[in-house]
């Protein structure tokens, strides 16, 4: 029986070499140069191989003629790009090569996906040569931890899944009407007064500075950076509940546990507003090593355009003053934007002209079309969880779309990448979340990573069908789409 090669996302080049397969044995070790930045990655590789193989795998700092080695190495001779890598495997030896540690992390994930159980329980890696690099530099997942809170241990599972499919941006929707989920040093009342609520009266929660640092670090090792979102000037009821000075009456608003949108807002003419934006965005930026901070900007249904533009400009200025670049939902395209601002496209029902104009002015578009990439949409009419406002999204819908031509008139070079989003109005815990993410997250990951000419639905269908044992081994709930013949 020929070896199965089923990597998601589909790599740029996969060649079988005809050599004998590598086998994971008791002698298998990971070998790496003893540089501090590589040791952590080698430990990650050893940990993954150890888990799959059911026994500890050692890390060594020299080959010394050993057999059955997994060799990690930084090289110059690969196509440009931090995440490019090469993997070559044959009996006795696997070489993982990349220009950067981030590229090695991608190679390790590919290796893990290549491991197949042969008869007799032996774990094998077919003899292949893979050369690979991502199409887009931004391959994200946005998780709404405001409508329902997700504890750190659950978010780590999500980060693990993201890394497994080579996604590299975890966008956290940290604040909304129903709750505030990140401790902000200068504004302690946000979490003290507004973190215990969630949709439907479910329990809330928040991340301490230590929790957040832990998440950032857990992601960093796996090549996933965190982009925090503080949603303004709408979706702010948690803030206006904690700080009454943000309201014209001076009084706090009531807590909110429903799922309507668009009713809450900041006020440009209140003196407290500017200080609030500066405090919050500078603290959140200071906690975040990544280069982007998301200011929200969506669905402010009760504000004139001028006031909206003033508040978006104030939030953006605070982010830039803290040394970060701005991301915002597509509505910010109606305001003047600095070049390099990332505009996140989500609602496909609107006129594309503002996005074309924003791109001409130097903005970059991040593609999260609701009808393809909103993984809180139901799969079909019989799905219990989820919403339906953007339609039903079966696996093939999440797979079969092309980011570069999505918005007519926006040039392909203006597209920075692709991001899935999962909103949690109806998703109260990790099983509910992964039921919506899997298998669609794998589809979006391939849209974001693989070149269009490497993408093929029938081929993807076969590969994704082989993911089920992996999800089952992790104990994750997932949706058995009837579009796939699942391997159990
Ligand atoms: C729209 S997408 C929203 C969210 C909701 C989501 C539900 C966006 C920028 N705003 O507030 O949670 O739909 O699918």
């Amino acid at each position: 029986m020929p070896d199965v090669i089923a990597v998601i996302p589909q790599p740029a080049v996969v060649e079988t070499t005809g050599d004998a397969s590598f086998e994971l044995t008791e002698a298998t070790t990971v070998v790496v140069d003893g540089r501090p930045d590589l040791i952590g990655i080698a430990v990650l590789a050893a940990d993954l191989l150890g888990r799959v193989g059911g026994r500890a795998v050692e890390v060594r700092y020299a080959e010394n003629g050993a057999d059955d080695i997994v060799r990690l190495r930084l090289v110059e001779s690969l196509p440009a790009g931090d995440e490019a890598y090469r993997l070559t495997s044959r009996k006795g030896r696997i070489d993982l090569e990349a220009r950067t540690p981030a590229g090695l992390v991608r190679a390790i994930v590919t290796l893990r996906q290549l491991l197949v159980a042969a008869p007799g329980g032996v774990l094998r890696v077919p003899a292949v040569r893979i050369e690979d690099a991502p199409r887009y530099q931004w391959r994200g997942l946005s998780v709404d931890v405001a409508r329902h809170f997700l504890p750190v241990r659950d978010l780590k599972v999500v980060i693990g899944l993201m890394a497994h499919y080579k996604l590299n941006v975890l966008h956290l929707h940290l604040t909304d009407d129903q709750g505030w989920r990140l401790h902000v040093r200068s504004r302690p009342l946000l979490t003290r007064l507004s973190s215990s609520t969630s949709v439907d009266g479910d329990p809330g929660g928040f991340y301490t500075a230590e929790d957040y640092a832990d998440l950032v670090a857990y992601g960093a090792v796996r090549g996933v950076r965190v982009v925090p979102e503080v949603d303004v000037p709408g979706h702010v009821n948690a803030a206006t509940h904690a700080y009454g000075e943000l309201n014209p009456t001076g009084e706090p608003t009531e807590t909110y546990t429903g799922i309507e949108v668009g009713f809450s807002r900041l006020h440009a003419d209140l003196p407290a507003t500017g200080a609030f934006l500066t405090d919050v965005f500078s603290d959140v930026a200071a906690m975040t090593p990544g280069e982007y901070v998301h200011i929200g900007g969506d669905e402010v249904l009760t504000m004139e355009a001028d006031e909206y533009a003033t508040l978006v400009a104030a939030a953006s200025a605070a982010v830039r003053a803290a040394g970060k670049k701005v991301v915002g939902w597509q509505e910010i395209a109606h305001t003047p934007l600095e070049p390099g601002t990332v505009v996140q496209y989500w609602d496909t029902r609107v006129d594309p002209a503002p996005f074309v104009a924003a791109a001409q002015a130097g903005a970059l578009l991040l593609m999260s079309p609701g009808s393809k990439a909103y993984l809180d949409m139901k799969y079909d009419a019989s799905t219990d969880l989820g919403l339906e406002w953007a339609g039903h999204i079966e696996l093939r819908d999440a797979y079969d779309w092309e980011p570069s031509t999505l918005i007519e008139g926006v040039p392909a070079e203006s597209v920075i990448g692709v991001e899935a989003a999962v909103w949690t109005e109806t998703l109260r815990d990790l099983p509910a979340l992964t039921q919506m993410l899997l298998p669609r997250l794998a589809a979006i990951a391939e849209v974001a990573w693989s070149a269009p000419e490497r993408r093929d639905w029938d081929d993807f269908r076969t590969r994704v069908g082989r993911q089920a044992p992996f999800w089952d081994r992790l104990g994750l709930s997932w949706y058995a789409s009837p579009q796939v013949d699942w391997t159990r």
Side-chain angles (χ1 to χ4, degrees):
M1 200 179 73
D3 281 317
V4 178
I5 299 170
V7 178
I8 295 176
Q10 180 72 71
V13 177
V14 183
E15 286 168 11
T16 49
T17 58
D19 289 340
S21 311
F22 178 91
E23 288 185 4
L24 193 65
T25 68
E26 274 172 39
T28 301
T29 52
V30 173
V31 181
V32 72
D33 296 340
R35 295 176 28 173
D37 55 338
L38 293 184
I39 292 173
I41 290 167
V43 170
L44 185 73
D47 180 58
L48 289 178
L49 292 172
R51 277 168 204 271
V52 182
R55 70 171 88 86
V57 170
E58 241 184 86
V59 176
R60 300 218 182 130
Y61 304 107
E63 291 189 23
N64 290 340
D67 266 341
D68 298 334
I69 66 169
V70 177
R71 179 70 159 115
L72 272 56
R73 209 174 358 214
L74 294 184
V75 295
E76 295 297 327
S77 63
L78 278 175
D82 281 357
E83 297 179 89
Y85 70 90
R86 182 189 298 131
L87 180 155
T88 38
S89 52
R90 60 184 150 80
K91 189 169 169 47
R93 181 173 186 107
I94 296 177
D95 285 284
L96 307 181
E97 298 167 307
R99 288 161 59 104
T100 67
L104 286 177
V105 175
R106 306 301 171 225
I108 290 167
V109 167
T110 297
L111 170 59
R112 187 191 200 182
Q113 294 193 9
L114 287 171
L115 276 166
V116 283
V122 189
L123 283 166
R124 287 211 307 226
V125 177
V128 289
R129 194 180 70 88
I130 291 180
E131 294 222 3
D132 201 8
R135 178 181 189 192
Y136 288 115
Q137 68 182 85
W138 186 310
R139 306 177 308 279
L141 170 65
S142 169
V143 182
D144 171 11
V145 293
R147 271 54 173 273
H148 278 101
F149 180 66
L150 211 60
V152 169
R153 65 171 180 282
D154 291 347
L155 265 189
K156 287 182 175 176
V157 173
V158 173
I159 291 173
L161 272 178
M162 291 177 66
H164 193 72
Y165 297 113
K166 301 192 175 83
L167 295 168
N168 66 351
V169 177
L170 173 62
H171 163 181
L172 290 176
H173 181 75
L174 290 164
T175 73
D176 212 303
D177 294 319
Q178 298 84 350
W180 190 284
R181 307 299 180 203
L182 178 66
H183 182 75
V184 175
R185 203 165 54 108
S186 61
R187 297 284 172 155
L189 299 186
L190 291 168
T191 43
R192 195 175 307 150
L193 299 178
S194 291
S195 66
S196 66
T197 40
S198 284
V199 165
D200 279 348
D202 287 328
F206 70 93
Y207 309 117
T208 63
E210 292 73 30
D211 290 337
Y212 185 76
D214 182 21
L215 278 174
V216 166
Y218 191 89
V221 174
R222 289 158 181 79
V224 178
R225 50 205 155 89
V226 173
V227 173
E229 177 188 350
V230 171
D231 199 351
V232 297
H235 290 271
V236 290
N237 190 66
T240 58
H241 173 68
Y243 288 94
E245 71 206 44
L246 297 173
N247 304 308
T249 59
E251 294 300 315
T253 54
E254 295 293 315
T255 56
Y256 182 72
T257 58
I259 65 167
E260 295 303 316
V261 298
F263 59 89
S264 62
R265 51 167 295 179
L266 296 176
H267 293 266
D269 57 358
L270 291 179
T273 302
F276 177 80
L277 292 173
T278 309
D279 285 354
V280 169
F281 282 109
S282 48
D283 281 353
V284 171
M287 297 166 81
T288 302
E291 53 177 334
Y292 288 98
V293 171
H294 202 304
I295 62 166
D298 56 317
E299 299 176 317
V300 200
L301 306 180
T302 62
M303 197 182 288
E304 294 299 323
D306 280 356
E307 186 176 3
Y308 175 78
T310 301
L311 289 167
V312 166
S316 303
V319 167
R320 278 194 296 272
K324 304 292 180 187
K325 297 182 186 167
V326 174
V327 195
W329 295 108
Q330 70 185 29
E331 288 89 333
I332 68 166
H334 295 269
T335 71
L337 298 176
E338 296 272 317
T341 299
V342 173
V343 173
Q344 187 165 10
Y345 179 67
W346 63 277
D347 188 346
T348 60
R349 300 165 295 192
V350 303
D351 174 15
F355 313 121
V356 177
Q360 269 161 7
L364 297 166
L365 271 294
L366 175 61
M367 298 305 188
S368 305
S371 54
K372 308 286 181 191
Y374 266 32
L375 304 187
D376 58 317
M377 292 301 121
K378 290 178 186 292
Y379 291 94
D380 62 28
S382 72
T383 312
D384 292 334
L385 300 167
L387 303 176
E388 295 177 291
W389 68 263
H392 296 150
I393 305 181
E394 244 300 351
L395 181 59
R396 187 169 187 166
D397 302 309
Y399 187 79
D400 261 342
W401 61 285
E402 173 46 37
S404 68
T405 52
L406 191 63
I407 313 180
E408 216 187 307
V410 168
E413 318 79 74
S414 298
V415 177
I416 192 171
V418 170
E419 192 169 284
V422 63
W423 302 92
T424 57
E425 286 93 336
T426 65
L427 311 176
R428 39 165 55 93
D429 54 20
L430 185 67
L433 196 80
T434 64
Q435 179 77 22
M436 300 308 268
L437 294 181
L438 302 173
R440 293 181 294 193
L441 191 65
I444 300 288
E446 185 150 311
V447 173
W449 177 282
S450 307
E453 61 277 11
R454 295 289 290 157
R455 285 171 41 206
D456 176 77
W457 163 251
D458 283 318
D459 190 66
F460 175 74
R461 232 182 123 250
T462 311
R463 282 179 287 123
V464 81
R466 300 181 183 279
Q467 298 289 304
F470 172 65
W471 301 331
D472 286 340
R473 194 154 11 94
L474 295 176
L476 300 174
S477 64
W478 55 277
Y479 166 67
S481 166
Q483 297 180 331
V484 173
D485 302 320
W486 298 98
T487 306
R488 296 278 190 159

